[in-house]
């Protein structure tokens, strides 16, 4: 998890995805290294699983395949949730990258790295850096599958969950086939008045036979989008939250307040008594609704990134700023205590004491 509201720009960053962790910029042992000025990774998920699953070294590829899935009845050409989720995240990756390049306006383009995983799957990592508007922007997708040890599955889910049966008592658990896919992104503009954005959306499932001991059939969705500004501009924060609410309200009016609180709580940095930013939505282990509905919900959330964020960037990318503003942006990517009553103090207060923006 990011240890500050914004990451110190001079830090070197390595984003790593493990199969059960789903998304931290790649899959398997894939690493997207943001050397120098960089962005904070999405929060670590399923860290206990990461230590339990053997990670295979990725293989660089010259170009992305039409799909990372195999033609095995539940993969390519099957119309399965995993196939449609992969298609969605790859489409959204392209749409977000195109929107960011247009907003940057410098002619800078995302550099793409493609990799495959010997055990199954692969990913596409895209990075734009040193543009006119964006200091660094990463938009990554991964689709991985294989087999995890039963201990890793139990660490991931805790128990059998809501849509699977528990293992029969006394039976020895076997390896658990898994599938994990997601899109993950961190966007750092140069202008201190343009906020940082984090988003990631992921899908995870196990596909063991129903009678396999210790390996119940299971699936869940997770993800979220959150805003981390250096300065509070209420017009921008309200716009961002209104788009999140609109996406949620299309499916369930309880989603926005529930997932906003989840986001506020999840990104609370206990030892500093503050939150990473001004929130958004966040959810995990979501499988207590119809699977098709949740697939559509995750799609709607991912598709809301561009309308939620790009209008803010367009409004703020050319805002004049001083060296003091830039210094404050850098400090917010670290840690400091501002003087009470200043604009900087108001931001910190809003991070510590989340408010209702709508």
């Amino acid at each position: 998890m990011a240890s500050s509201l914004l990451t110190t720009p001079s830090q070197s960053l390595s984003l790593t995805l493990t199969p059960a962790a789903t998304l931290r910029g790649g899959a398997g042992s894939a690493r997207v290294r943001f050397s120098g000025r960089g962005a904070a990774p999405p929060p670590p998920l399923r860290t206990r699983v990461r230590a339990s699953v053997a990670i295979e070294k990725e293989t660089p590829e010259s170009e992305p395949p039409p799909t990372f899935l195999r033609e095995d009845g539940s993969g390519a050409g099957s119309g399965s949730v995993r196939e449609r989720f992969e298609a969605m995240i790859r489409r959204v990756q392209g749409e977000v990258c195109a929107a960011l390049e247009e907003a940057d306006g410098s002619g800078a383009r995302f550099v793409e790295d493609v990799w495959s995983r010997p055990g199954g799957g692969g990913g596409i990592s895209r990075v734009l850096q040193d543009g006119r508007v964006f200091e660094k922007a990463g938009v990554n997708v991964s689709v991985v599958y294989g087999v995890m040890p039963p201990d890793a599955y139990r660490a991931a889910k805790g128990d059998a969950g809501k849509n699977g049966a528990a293992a029969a008592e006394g039976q020895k658990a076997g390896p658990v086939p898994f599938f994990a896919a997601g899109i993950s992104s961190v966007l750092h503009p140069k202008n201190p008045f343009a906020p940082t954005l984090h988003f990631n959306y992921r899908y995870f499932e196990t596909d063991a036979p129903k009678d396999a001991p210790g390996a119940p059939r299971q699936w869940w969705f997770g993800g979220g989008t959150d805003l981390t500004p250096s300065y509070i501009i209420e017009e921008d924060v309200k716009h961002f939250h209104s788009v999140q609410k609109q996406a949620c309200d299309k499916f369930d009016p309880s989603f926005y307040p529930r997932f906003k609180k989840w986001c506020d709580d999840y990104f609370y940095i206990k030892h500093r008594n503050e939150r990473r930013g001004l929130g958004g939505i966040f959810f995990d282990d979501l499988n207590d609704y119809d699977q098709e509905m949740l697939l559509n919900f995750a799609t709607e959330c991912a598709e809301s990134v561009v309308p939620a964020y790009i209008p803010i960037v367009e409004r703020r990318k050319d805002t004049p700023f001083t060296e003091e503003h830039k210094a404050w942006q850098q400090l917010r990517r670290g840690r400091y205590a501002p003087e009470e009553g200043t604009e900087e103090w108001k931001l910190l207060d809003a991070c510590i004491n989340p408010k209702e923006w709508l």
Side-chain angles (χ1 to χ4, degrees):
M1 179 183 292
S3 60
S4 60
L5 295 177
L6 289 173
T7 305
T8 305
S10 61
Q11 288 179 331
S12 177
L13 174 67
S14 175
L15 301 184
T16 305
L17 168 68
T18 63
T22 53
L23 240 296
R24 292 193 66 183
S29 62
R31 295 178 183 269
V32 184
R33 294 195 177 274
F34 291 58
S35 59
R37 295 178 180 270
L45 299 169
R46 320 252 188 260
T47 52
R48 290 174 294 172
V49 181
R50 190 190 324 164
S52 303
V53 180
I55 305 302
E56 298 172 311
K57 183 175 177 59
E58 73 277 7
T59 302
E61 303 290 350
S62 60
E63 60 182 26
T67 177
F68 288 105
L69 301 177
R70 299 184 179 125
E71 296 182 4
D72 59 0
S74 62
S78 66
S80 63
V81 171
R82 59 175 67 180
E83 180 183 35
R84 286 179 287 155
F85 193 85
E86 181 198 11
M88 182 273 285
I89 60 176
R90 292 182 64 170
R91 172 177 57 79
V92 168
Q93 182 188 42
E95 292 170 355
V96 170
C97 289
L100 295 174
E101 288 176 346
E102 182 178 356
D104 193 83
S106 65
R109 295 291 180 261
F110 278 87
V111 175
E112 180 177 272
D113 290 316
V114 182
W115 51 271
S116 63
R117 178 175 172 272
I124 304 167
S125 303
R126 294 180 181 174
V127 177
L128 182 153
Q129 60 183 359
D130 298 326
R132 187 179 76 85
V133 172
F134 291 100
E135 183 176 315
K136 184 155 293 185
V139 187
N140 309 315
V141 299
S142 59
V143 179
V144 299
Y145 42 89
V147 176
M148 69 167 69
D151 287 347
Y153 175 81
R154 285 193 292 270
K157 204 62 187 126
D159 55 22
K162 298 175 182 177
N163 60 353
E169 185 176 356
Q171 288 184 299
K172 185 178 180 180
V176 182
F178 76 91
F179 171 88
I183 180 169
S184 180
S185 177
V186 186
L187 311 175
H188 273 310
K190 289 183 174 179
N191 195 302
F193 294 99
T196 289
L197 186 82
H198 309 78
F199 76 89
N200 72 90
Y201 291 97
R202 53 197 178 272
Y203 173 68
F204 185 94
E205 68 178 41
T206 60
D207 194 28
K210 292 182 179 179
D211 59 350
R217 195 176 300 270
Q218 187 65 262
W219 57 264
W220 60 88
F221 292 87
T225 305
D226 65 283
L227 196 70
T228 309
S230 296
Y231 288 91
I232 293 179
I233 303 175
E234 289 208 15
E235 174 190 9
D236 295 346
V237 183
K238 288 180 178 179
H239 168 78
F240 173 78
H241 277 272
S242 69
V243 175
Q244 307 311 306
K245 186 176 186 300
Q246 290 167 15
C248 291
D249 286 352
K250 291 181 181 180
F251 297 87
D252 190 317
S254 72
F255 277 5
Y256 174 73
R258 175 184 171 191
F259 298 153
K260 177 188 181 299
K261 184 180 185 304
W262 201 337
C263 185
D264 289 337
D265 293 343
Y266 190 84
F267 293 116
Y268 175 70
I269 306 166
K270 184 178 296 186
H271 71 283
R272 289 181 170 171
N273 189 32
E274 65 186 43
R275 287 159 180 81
R276 185 169 74 180
L278 299 186
I281 59 171
F282 176 83
F283 56 91
D284 202 9
D285 295 342
L286 201 61
N287 65 359
D288 51 354
Y289 294 82
D290 176 77
Q291 190 178 30
E292 286 293 323
M293 182 268 221
L294 290 178
L295 173 62
N296 292 333
F297 173 61
T299 300
E300 183 72 25
C301 290
E303 290 175 345
S304 74
V305 168
V306 169
Y309 185 60
I310 294 300
I312 299 174
V313 172
E314 292 290 353
R315 284 197 294 266
R316 308 304 167 196
K317 65 182 182 181
D318 295 319
T319 300
F321 62 89
T322 66
E323 288 300 318
E324 288 75 16
H325 292 133
K326 192 66 180 177
W328 166 245
Q329 181 192 51
Q330 308 307 313
L331 285 169
R332 288 310 299 151
R333 292 175 177 178
R335 179 71 166 88
Y336 100 124
E339 181 181 351
E340 185 171 352
T342 63
E343 289 300 313
E344 292 82 1
W345 177 87
K346 291 177 183 178
L347 171 69
L348 185 58
D349 179 66
C351 292
I352 294 174
N353 303 297
K355 60 180 287 188
E356 298 302 322
W357 293 101
L358 301 179

